[in-house]
Amino acid sequence: MQRKNKLIRNLFIAALILLALFYLYPTVKAGIMKKQMNDRLAYIHEKTDIPLDILKEKIFRFDFDLLQQVREIEGLDETTRDELLTEITELRGDFYDALSEVQDGSIKLGLDLQGGMHIVLEVNLVELMDRLAKNRDAIFDEISKSVHDKLFADPTANFEDVVREEFKDHDIPMARYFGDPRQSDAEIIRYIRKQAEEAIDLTLTKLRNRVDEFGVSEPSITKQGSRRIVVELPGVQDPTRARNLIGRTALLEFKLVAKPEITAKIVRDIDEIVKKSLDESSETLDAETAEEKLETDLAVVPETDVKEETVGEESDSAKSKFEETFIDEQAPVGEDTTFAFDKDQPFVSLLNVGDRQIVVLDKNKDAVERYIGWTEVQDQIPPEYEFLWHYKMDERGGDKFWYLYLVHSRAELTGAALSDAQVNLSSGASNPGQAGQGIVTLTMKREGARKFARITGSNIGEHLAIVLDDKIHMAPRIKVRIPNGSAIIEGAETIEEADDLAIVLRAGSLPAPVRIIEERTVGPSLGADSIKAGAFSAIVGIILVMIFMAFYYRGSGLIADFALLLNVIFLMAVLGGFGFTLTLPGIAGIILTIGMAVDANVLIFERIREELASGKTVWNSIQAGFGRAFVTIMDANITTLIAGIVLYQFGTGPLKGFALTLMIGIVASMFTALVVSKAIFDYITTTKSLKTLSI
Amino acid sequence: MFQIIKNPNFDFQSKRRIAFMISAAIILIGLIATVIRGGPNYSIDFVGGIQVILRFENSVDEATMRSTLSELGYPDAEVKMVVGGGRRDLMIRLIQSSEGTDQVAEVENQLTEHFKDNPYEVLSVDQVGPKIGRELRKAALMAIVASLFFIVIYISWRFQYRFAIAAIIALIHDVLIVFGLFSILNLQMSLAIIAAFLTIVGYSLNDTIVVFDRIRENVKRMRFKSLVEQINTSINDTLSRTILTSSTTLIVVIILFIFGGSVIHDFALALLAGVLVGTYSSIFVASPILVEWNLWHPDKRSKK
């Protein structure tokens, strides 16, 4: 090679190394700064007793008034307090700015390393179809159920094909339920699909709002395909909470509770059906044991008022109106509080029908649910009514029970009428058990308030159920007309639960039924374990491979070792410089690269040895060795690269990280072996005329 | 100069039929094991379900957890102890019965209730719907088929068609053996294991190509020798390189296997087996196939 070319090559290598170090710098710096931050937070924790987890999570969140908290701590001497306040201000100021700057350029850690949630949501097309359908009837429900079953049995089946076939089998044009009568099935399916896409876009916005309020640093919410949404929440501490916040539809509805006589009648009707059906099959059943079993399941429900639904005790404004409106009297449990199984009343004996609500022991809930689910029973319930359960089990005197309500199917008002939802603390004045618990106060838009006033005004004495996602949260009695459109929801057990409820109500309900179809959550400690294990493996791997190479190839082995180190630096620099994310499989890829990267050098060295053995001079052997190994290295690495590219293309999530590090590693090892090692050999052979080569 | 073997000159090709039989036997055992176990042990990635890893404050053993879950209404739950970060964690796996129900929260609530005095931390949750599972299975299969396809094209272009076929047979051989090993040990086939398969494909191919490259060279250089001799010489020429690279790769894979943590334990095991088998196959499978092919259908070009 010409001297000038060599100079250019060497400058190129030097420039690349500098560039790599430049890109690696933020990662190293960010690591050091995080360590410093943890030390400083540990100090604050030591002085203030604020849990370290909370400090770590909230230190850069300005909606959390840390300064105020520190000011309010008692028994802290003033110098320490001042010191802590300065410390926090500094951390949130200059330190934060500096940290965010280096973090922008540093290697990002995947959710599996830093901990976090990865959730994939999908719009359920069948449910969307149900919602869009007009004039639903039994045939439609049958078709819908059949479509659902078929799609469940074969998840890869095409929705359109299944729907089209089902309607064809029933010999019914889809236009009977959708769009206008002249539209073809194809047009209607396109319409459903378009609705799904629009719903996804809207869902995306609503989820963004919810997640923003939830307070996660750097959440990512993206659309995948036409029907899926991927939500990534790094560093989430409470996955259950996050799952609830994202996955729930949050459809708020106000529904009137059916009048007692109607409830009683329908319950009796159901009883008849169940009885008839049980009688028919009783021959096959051992009635006695069945009875025995049921009887042991029955127990006595406490005779006191079962559940007291209080009204607003929270903020004064909401309280005054609300308290005046709804009295907190509760439908008492009927006189007869003892359940006794009665063969003549198989259904009724499972329940205790009160004025407005039905009390069901936890043990009997499954049976009641099953009976209600029977098709014959469903047919008997007039379509304008439906059974809904209270959202939570109640417990009194050791007995666990549920409330079941018969309500009007039609919602008087929905969450769309809300303008705001805020959390207040219950004073516990009307219900001491709930003191200090969160209550969500709803404020309605002008039109919603007007409607609410009309509803309350014309239904005084009735009970109004507040239904969230088909679960009843409360069903207080309307005492007077409420003109200003304010209402409350109570029952949240923790402030967080109330907070989350307020968040989802503010963001609004999701326009389409979405479901979590995939979730990958890694807790912070597992992530930390993985990083530790990965880093340890990588370091031990590098050291052992380096010792091995130096032992086998002596002087030349050191050149290979240098190339190996450079290889790892390049790999990390590319990850940092291009903003790639490092995942656990990615670390595995790096470690594997360490083992495989020396291959190119081994191929070259073996060739040089062969050339030396054939009696060539050192310089000639080196030239020939590099020359002849070149083709081999190219062919061998390109085929491995093909496997890597395919893996990257087809792989999902973290696997992409593995393919990525593997591919970068292969390219880097080709460069370090063919160019950098060559440059070092050239330098050694030109400065000293070697008679022998340490290889 | 340190050498593992001084001027190796083994006659590998005379043993090729024995090698074929050994390979066939191992693959057969693996496949029989798969059939006996009723198909591959798919992880939830491919069949849908829930997998949670819990770290209890006071270690709970597998049997206790199994009976607890059975009591709570999950008789089919699989429970496995995994060792990570110096702690003994429990991995619970449930095949999802229906889509959409929040089983994770349900199970967590019940366990929290049951182990009131022994709080636990949720290390990880993986929840895959059956639909996604099928999609992932399809994608994984596609990945393997596509990579083999592109490799055939590349090798056919750089070498000859029959080199490509020999290489592919060796790759399928490697993957089948590791696959069989997983069936024998009843380990789960997850997405990560598919990634390991593709890595094995890449690694084994790398090894095979190095030998092929030397064969290509020696066929020209030793044109008056028989193909068997040419191939034997080529394998011997590259033998020390083969052993060396396999050694460094094995070093890191063993480290990964021992220290890499529970999450990549099986992945490292697949790689470990793959590196060994991949090295073996480039010497005893890929090259001998060229010899057999030549006996069956002599190629004029290689003898010119």
Side-chain angles (χ1 to χ4, degrees), chain B residues 42-48 130 133-134 136-137 140 189-191 194:
Chain B
Y42 287 120
S43 82
I44 56 150
D45 288 343
F46 298 119
V47 289
R134 304 228 186 167
L136 290 177
R137 212 188 308 179
M189 301 287 297
S190 62
L191 272 179
I194 299 298

Side-chain angles (χ1 to χ4, degrees), chain B:
Chain B
M1 186 159 75
F2 183 82
Q3 278 181 303
I4 295 172
I5 308 155
K6 290 246 188 299
N7 304 320
N9 188 18
F10 298 106
D11 183 8
F12 292 108
Q13 296 315 313
S14 64
K15 320 269 184 337
R16 64 176 188 273
R17 298 277 163 89
I18 301 172
F20 285 161
M21 279 194 282
I22 295 174
S23 289
I26 296 175
I27 291 174
L28 205 64
I29 293 172
L31 292 182
I32 290 172
T34 312
V35 173
I36 290 174
R37 295 208 188 270
N41 180 2
Y42 287 120
S43 82
I44 56 150
D45 288 343
F46 298 119
V47 289
I50 295 164
Q51 182 177 305
V52 286
I53 302 182
L54 306 177
R55 177 172 293 177
F56 283 90
E57 208 163 89
N58 307 309
S59 248
V60 174
D61 64 49
E62 291 175 53
T64 312
M65 180 52 81
R66 219 167 274 139
S67 61
T68 305
L69 285 169
S70 193
E71 263 171 55
L72 295 176
Y74 307 97
D76 299 332
E78 284 175 40
V79 180
K80 203 179 140 196
M81 186 72 88
V82 287
V83 178
R87 298 285 299 267
R88 290 150 71 77
D89 306 322
L90 279 180
M91 188 180 90
I92 298 168
R93 183 182 167 220
L94 283 174
I95 300 296
Q96 206 166 14
S97 50
S98 63
E99 196 148 11
T101 54
D102 195 353
Q103 254 186 8
V104 180
E106 220 171 273
V107 176
E108 278 177 20
N109 286 340
Q110 284 174 315
L111 286 180
T112 312
E113 177 90 358
H114 194 273
F115 292 98
K116 259 184 195 147
D117 310 322
N118 188 8
Y120 64 86
E121 182 190 351
V122 179
L123 292 187
S124 76
V125 176
D126 288 83
Q127 184 178 9
V128 181
K131 186 172 173 188
I132 291 268
R134 304 228 186 167
E135 284 177 18
L136 290 177
R137 212 188 308 179
K138 211 164 126 190
L141 199 66
M142 277 292 286
I144 291 183
V145 172
S147 65
L148 294 182
F149 174 75
F150 287 117
I151 288 163
V152 168
I153 290 185
Y154 184 80
I155 300 178
S156 300
W157 171 54
R158 294 289 300 158
F159 297 85
Q160 289 171 28
Y161 177 61
R162 55 171 154 171
F163 281 71
I165 297 303
I168 292 296
I169 293 175
L171 297 181
I172 294 173
H173 163 268
D174 300 343
V175 170
L176 279 181
I177 288 183
V178 181
F179 175 84
L181 178 75
F182 267 62
S183 285
I184 292 168
L185 299 178
N186 203 18
L187 297 174
Q188 282 181 24
M189 301 287 297
S190 62
L191 272 179
I193 302 306
I194 299 298
F197 281 172
L198 282 169
T199 314
I200 292 167
V201 164
Y203 179 83
S204 167
L205 198 62
N206 192 305
D207 235 23
T208 305
I209 295 292
V210 171
V211 177
F212 279 6
D213 177 75
R214 195 52 85 100
I215 294 173
R216 182 170 57 182
E217 190 184 317
N218 284 343
V219 163
K220 286 182 209 143
R221 205 163 54 89
M222 307 163 59
R223 63 178 69 155
F224 301 111
K225 297 277 178 67
S226 73
L227 183 67
V228 172
E229 278 176 279
Q230 291 166 345
I231 290 180
N232 260 334
T233 310
S234 303
I235 295 177
N236 281 308
D237 282 352
T238 54
L239 193 61
S240 54
R241 173 267 157 196
T242 305
I243 294 172
L244 222 60
T245 300
S246 298
S247 307
T248 56
T249 311
L250 276 179
I251 290 175
V252 295
V253 173
I254 290 171
I255 290 170
L256 204 57
F257 181 71
I258 299 173
F259 302 112
S262 56
V263 184
I264 42 180
H265 196 262
D266 290 356
F267 175 78
L269 178 70
L271 286 183
L272 189 61
V275 170
L276 290 172
V277 178
T279 307
Y280 165 87
S281 74
S282 39
I283 296 172
F284 290 101
V285 179
S287 309
I289 288 174
L290 290 178
V291 177
E292 292 293 333
W293 193 313
N294 203 54
L295 290 176
W296 167 64
H297 194 264
D299 179 29
K300 306 256 163 12
R301 274 178 299 174
S302 60
K303 287 267 182 187
K304 70 186 167 200

